[in-house]
Amino acid sequence: MLALQGYYDGNAVQTLEKIHAKKNQKLIITILDEFIEDIDEDVKSLSARGSLSQYANPKLQKKEDSAWEEEVKDNYDNT
């Protein structure tokens, strides 16, 4: 199950993140008793997935690919 944030713009439900759903996939929509201020275009295009990309260090990305394997190997070797 996946939870997304969004709002109703008066005509349709708008999500603040990209939906990765297939055609005819069922959804559960919960209406909250909370309201948001008018959303400006910058916030509409913001997604959780890319929001921290500005802090990414390209030099460390190759290490990230194998970080889990390295950690497991280090822990296994120390037992």
Side-chain angles (χ1 to χ4, degrees):
M1 184 182 283
L2 175 67
L4 298 173
Q5 292 188 26
Y7 61 95
Y8 179 65
D9 67 5
N11 295 314
V13 173
Q14 303 292 328
T15 62
L16 295 175
E17 304 166 43
K18 186 173 181 177
I19 296 177
H20 297 286
K22 296 178 182 172
K23 183 178 178 180
N24 295 327
Q25 186 171 357
K26 288 186 175 185
L27 304 174
I28 297 173
I29 299 173
T30 303
I31 310 279
L32 303 176
D33 291 330
E34 300 172 13
F35 295 88
I36 58 171
E37 301 297 322
D38 287 334
I39 304 286
D40 49 345
E41 293 302 315
D42 292 339
V43 174
K44 283 184 183 179
S45 65
L46 179 64
S47 74
R49 178 170 296 200
S51 62
L52 297 177
S53 62
Q54 61 184 332
Y55 304 107
N57 184 341
K59 294 177 184 176
L60 297 176
Q61 286 177 341
K62 290 188 186 264
K63 288 185 175 184
E64 289 176 3
D65 291 338
S66 62
W68 177 254
E69 290 85 359
E70 292 295 323
E71 186 64 27
V72 170
K73 180 182 171 205
D74 290 347
N75 284 336
Y76 181 77
D77 290 342
N78 291 332
T79 58

